[in-house]
Every structure is written in C-alpha cells, then in structure tokens.
Amino acid sequence: MPAHQKTDKPVKGKSFHQPVSIEQTIGRAVPHNNDAERGLLAACFLDATGNEVLNLCHEQKIASESFFNPAHQLIFKAIQDLSAQNKPVEIVSVVDLLNKRKELDLVGGLPYLTQIASAIETTAHVAHWIHIICEKYIYRKLIEVSTRTIEGCYEQNDDVEVFIEQVEKQILQINQDRISDSGKSISASIDQAMIIIDKMAKQQGTDGLSSGFKDLDGMTYGFHGSEMIVLAARPSVGKTSLAMNFVENVAMPKKGTPTAALVFSLEMSAEQLAMRLIWSVSRVDHKKVRDGFVGAEEKRRIIEAAKKLKEAPIIVDDSGQITILQLRAKARRVHKEHKVGLIIIDYLQLISGIDSRVSREQQIAEISRGIKSLAKELNVPVIVLSQLNRESEKESRDPRLSDLRESGSIEQDADVVFLLHRPRRGKSKEEKDSHFTDDVEKIELIIAKQRNGPVGIVPLSFIRRFTRYENYMPEHAES
C-alpha cells in the first residue's frame, strides 16, 4: 500500500487494540500519522543490509514506543532485534521472528507486512518521516502528562508543592528524551587532546595517518579520522594517480605498521588500478612493457612489486552504479572485517543519487553529507575525488574552491580541500625547465581549505612513466 494512502483500519488477527485511555479522557483522537509510520518501516525493509535508516532512527531516539500503531511497534522491535544480531532486515526474517514470538497474527500477518514492504521505492523521505513520528510521539507524551495533571488537580491528593514538582519533573523528562545526549563533559575531550598532543610530539608533528609526502604532512599533520578530504582536479591531471599513491604509502609504508585502505573505483576497473600500482611500486616504464622492450631486471621488479601488493591490505570495490546508501553499507561491512584506516572514493560525481526525481545539485548535497557522515561514523579519513569545472582553464588562472562542480555542499562539508593543478608552461627555456622534463613534471597541490591548519601550495613531482607522485625535488629535472 502506498505510504500516501491514509488508512486506519484495525489490524487483523487477535484483539490488539490501540491505546484509548487518553482518547476516552479528552474525547479526541491523539496525534499520530500512520502514513509516516508505514513509510519508515518500509524504508527499513528497503535498506535491508545497510542499517542507514536505523542509524538515523537511533540518532533521533526512535524506539518501538515512538510508533502509535501497536502493530508497527511490534514490527519495528523485530527489525531492531534483527539488526542488533547483524542479520539482514528482510521481510522473510521479520516474519520468521514475529512467528516465533507468536506476534505475526497481531500485526496483520504476511499480507500486511508485504503491503508495508512494497509501500515506497526510495528512502529519500526518511528524515521527514522520522521528524513526524518524533513530533507526534512528543505530543502524545505531553497529552498524557497533561491529562494526569488535570486529574491530579481535581483529586488534590498531594501537597501542591509536591504536585508541581512532579509535573515539572515529568515535563523535563520529555524534553530530555527529545534532545540528543551528544553533549559531554570537556574533561573527556581534554584527556583525548593530551593523548593527541603526546603522539604529535613523539612523531614530530604528524599525529594522523601519513600521506607519504613530507611537505604535505608538514602542512596537514597527516590524514585524520572523521575527516572528509576532497581531492579535485580537471580530467587527466592525475588525481587518481595521487590517490593511489596515498593508498600505497598507507598500506605499504617504508616503516611502521601497514594500514588497510578501501578504494571505491567507480570509473576504473580493479585490474586497471592494480596495473597502476604495479608500475608505481616497481618503477618500471609501462610504455616499455607495452612496446615489448622490458628486460630481465624490470621483469624481476614487476614480479616483486606484484608479490608485495598481493600481501598489502588494499580492498578495491569497482562497482559501477552505486548509491551513497549502498556505498556506506559496503564500507561498514569492509571496516568491520578489515579495520579500514583510509577510504578513497573515485569519484564523487559518479555516485548515484537516492532519488532521481530531485535536482542533481540536491543529489550531490545528499551524497556529500553522506560521505561526511561515513567519515565520522567509522572515524577514518575519507578522501573523495571530484571534478573541477572549466572556469580556471577559460580564465587562464589557478583553480579555486568555487571551481568545484556543484561546489556549495561539497565545499561546506569538506574538512580539507586539495586542488591538483598543472602550472601553465611558458615559452622560454627557463620557464620550461622550471616545470621539469617531459617525463617528470612539477604539479601543484593547492590546499584551498583546511579547518585545522594552514592553506597554501605543496609542490609535487609527477613521474609520468611510473604514473607516480614523489616529494618535490628540483634535481628530478636532470633525471
């Protein structure tokens, strides 16, 4: 049954009446919205394995008693219990659990559950439904307290001061239940800050995950948990290569413990990324291999690189069409199994919106918020690649934040924004030499935004034949 069709028919099966005590007292139907309740339950079924909807419910303190319809209370409780056991929230599983609890008839049986499960096609309106359910529940609680207050006023059994105190306490409890308990004493934050400071001192400034580039780490102090980091560039400038170098440096560090990295490659196949990593790690010219001019030493380096990469904790998901809900669900599962320390998404504009009926700008805003929420939820840095528009090329200038495609929400959500830029070469020999040879090129990594650090330009050396970035060294021009 579509969520927008309003029906308040009694649930079939055994007698299981909705609460009527308040209604009988005041003679009016109490606030509730069956459509919103059915819509939210349907969204839980639609997001069967991702738990995205349930996470939103938990954040807003939605519980089974938040629903007015007793059948909906039982269904939501079954959904919560299945999720707590890491089982998929599928209609078959819910039916089985309700049947074991002898509650299947009380909710209207399989027909009613099937109606709910097929009520919607998208979870785009989940936040709206949650808001409605929370609001109606609070109004019902207030009516409940108010009704008891009126009855107490007529009965006058308690001292008036005691009575007022009890009423105030009940009202305050409703308000406390409504407000998220995210606030905490600063003492815990101070302790955590001291741990970070101590770690920073021991590591000589890098308190996060090292990028592998000393000049970049010098300005960012590494990649930090819960950060959404945007790496943007025009096509063919090398953002995928830099992202894979980050992966290499994290999963195959020269010293220290390897950290698992998860790569969502929406444009390139896993095999193509693997080849890029092999060229980079082996430092073998991929053109020579394609032309058939590879020697014994180069073959040895390729085999050695492949062996190291096979042992590296790198996970690649090269799914094509993927929504932000699906991406987050996959990231949670991989993180649970591998304890991921870095996530790469290549690239943002290829992620599908949840609701294709809304504008692309709204979809990008939803995707951007979802990526930031993922970084916070898993407490890992998430580097998301993005496209720049053509304005900087048209105006022959360096790129800036406003050049991000659909920039508003991305710029707002990001903690750090890197803009990868190939400086324009001049015509004189000196200007050409300053950007290295045709094989080794100077690329500028512009830190255009950083919430907790400076902005500026980090020069990098791009070695084209290895598809590899390295720390900037002028002597590369001589290689």
Side-chain angles (χ1 to χ4, degrees):
M1 180 183 300
H4 65 271
Q5 293 182 4
K6 191 166 185 176
T7 57
D8 287 323
K9 294 180 180 179
V11 177
K12 296 179 180 179
K14 298 179 183 178
S15 176
F16 197 100
H17 300 291
Q18 297 177 345
V20 293
S21 57
I22 301 175
E23 292 175 295
Q24 289 174 338
T25 302
I26 64 176
R28 298 169 63 183
V30 297
H32 67 284
N33 189 310
N34 267 345
D35 292 342
E37 292 184 6
R38 282 192 293 266
L40 183 56
L41 293 174
C44 291
F45 285 119
L46 197 60
D47 185 35
T49 58
N51 286 334
E52 179 75 14
V53 174
L54 281 176
N55 285 341
L56 290 174
C57 289
H58 296 153
E59 288 174 9
Q60 298 301 317
K61 297 191 172 183
I62 291 283
S64 57
E65 59 264 28
S66 303
F67 292 78
F68 177 73
N69 190 317
H72 297 166
Q73 293 179 1
L74 294 177
I75 294 169
F76 188 76
K77 183 67 170 63
I79 288 171
Q80 280 186 311
D81 292 345
L82 286 170
S83 177
Q85 298 169 27
N86 292 320
K87 294 181 179 178
V89 181
E90 298 170 341
I91 189 167
V92 174
S93 304
V94 173
V95 166
D96 183 59
L97 183 57
L98 288 171
N99 197 36
K100 288 178 181 177
R101 294 175 174 177
K102 303 186 184 304
E103 296 172 346
L104 185 59
D105 289 338
L106 302 182
V107 304
L110 179 60
Y112 189 63
L113 284 165
T114 304
Q115 283 183 351
I116 289 177
S118 60
I120 62 172
E121 296 178 353
T122 174
T123 60
H125 306 295
V126 163
H128 179 60
W129 292 326
I130 288 176
H131 174 75
I132 291 174
I133 292 170
C134 285
E135 190 177 73
K136 302 300 182 186
Y137 176 64
I138 291 167
Y139 279 132
R140 292 199 301 274
K141 295 293 288 182
L142 286 170
I143 290 171
E144 204 173 303
V145 171
S146 300
T147 302
R148 286 199 298 265
T149 301
I150 292 170
E151 291 174 349
C153 288
Y154 279 110
E155 293 171 0
Q156 302 178 20
N157 292 329
D158 297 319
D159 177 79
V160 68
E161 297 294 333
V162 174
F163 180 71
I164 290 173
E165 183 183 6
Q166 289 175 343
V167 172
E168 288 178 341
K169 185 177 180 180
Q170 290 170 349
I171 296 290
L172 180 63
Q173 185 61 49
I174 292 173
N175 195 44
Q176 287 177 336
D177 291 343
R178 178 181 68 86
I179 299 172
S180 174
D181 55 2
S182 58
K184 57 184 178 182
S185 169
I186 196 171
S187 62
S189 301
I190 293 294
D191 290 341
Q192 189 62 33
M194 289 303 296
I195 293 172
I196 294 172
I197 290 170
D198 181 60
K199 184 179 179 182
M200 188 185 301
K202 290 179 179 177
Q203 296 185 358
Q204 297 181 337
T206 303
D207 60 310
L209 194 63
S210 175
S211 67
F213 299 93
K214 62 179 183 180
D215 292 336
L216 180 58
D217 287 344
M219 294 188 71
T220 63
Y221 302 104
F223 302 138
H224 301 87
S226 80
E227 282 187 341
M228 173 182 169
I229 302 163
V230 174
L231 173 59
R234 290 291 298 148
S236 302
V237 173
K239 55 185 180 292
T240 300
S241 296
L242 182 57
M244 296 312 295
N245 285 158
F246 288 151
V247 170
E248 176 190 335
N249 294 333
V250 162
M252 303 170 63
K254 293 178 180 177
K255 55 182 179 180
T257 306
T259 301
L262 170 61
V263 181
F264 287 99
S265 180
L266 281 68
E267 187 175 36
M268 300 175 64
S269 68
E271 289 76 17
Q272 289 174 311
L273 289 182
M275 285 178 63
R276 284 200 176 203
L277 283 169
I278 289 172
W279 307 141
S280 178
V281 174
S282 66
R283 288 173 169 78
V284 170
D285 187 343
H286 57 85
K287 189 176 185 302
K288 288 178 67 176
V289 177
R290 287 191 172 97
D291 292 343
F293 295 117
V294 61
E297 172 59 21
E298 289 159 324
K299 286 183 180 178
R300 185 195 65 78
R301 294 211 306 268
I302 290 173
I303 293 171
E304 185 65 25
K307 182 180 177 181
K308 289 179 180 178
L309 284 164
K310 287 181 72 173
E311 297 172 353
I314 301 173
I315 304 99
V316 178
D317 186 312
D318 60 355
S319 304
Q321 291 286 92
I322 188 171
T323 67
I324 185 60
L325 291 181
Q326 293 168 336
L327 186 147
R328 291 181 65 174
K330 289 183 176 185
R332 288 191 199 98
R333 288 197 293 271
V334 174
H335 181 66
K336 186 175 181 181
E337 183 177 353
H338 298 281
K339 194 62 180 175
V340 172
L342 176 68
I343 296 176
I344 302 285
I345 303 173
D346 185 12
Y347 58 91
L348 186 145
Q349 281 80 13
L350 290 179
I351 301 175
S352 301
I354 298 173
D355 188 353
S356 59
R357 294 170 295 182
V358 303
S359 69
R360 185 55 182 167
E361 186 176 348
Q362 288 178 277
Q363 293 180 39
I364 291 293
E366 184 178 46
I367 292 165
S368 178
R369 285 194 300 270
I371 292 171
K372 176 58 181 174
S373 297
L374 176 65
K376 291 180 68 176
E377 178 186 342
L378 301 185
N379 193 29
V380 300
V382 177
I383 300 177
V384 55
L385 279 56
S386 179
Q387 294 277 22
L388 291 176
N389 60 35
R390 299 176 182 272
E391 295 306 311
S392 60
E393 291 182 351
K394 289 180 180 178
E395 299 173 11
S396 299
R397 58 168 171 78
D398 292 354
R400 54 194 180 210
L401 277 175
S402 59
D403 294 327
L404 283 166
R405 287 178 60 181
E406 298 99 3
S407 66
S409 56
I410 304 172
E411 179 182 340
Q412 177 181 317
D413 294 327
D415 297 284
V416 182
V417 177
F418 297 142
L419 305 178
L420 203 58
H421 174 53
R422 177 182 289 120
R424 297 176 67 86
R425 296 191 182 192
K427 295 181 179 179
S428 69
K429 183 179 184 302
E430 291 76 13
E431 288 177 307
K432 289 182 178 179
D433 288 345
S434 69
H435 294 91
F436 301 162
T437 66
D438 289 335
D439 185 59
V440 183
E441 186 177 6
K442 177 184 178 182
I443 300 290
E444 292 179 348
L445 185 64
I446 302 170
I447 304 177
K449 176 185 177 181
Q450 186 174 195
R451 290 193 199 277
N452 301 308
V455 295
I457 297 176
V458 176
L460 298 172
S461 299
F462 181 55
I463 307 176
R464 190 173 291 102
R465 66 181 184 273
F466 303 152
T467 62
R468 177 182 183 82
Y469 283 88
E470 292 189 351
N471 291 308
Y472 173 76
M473 288 184 290
E475 57 267 25
H476 274 154
E478 303 170 2
S479 62

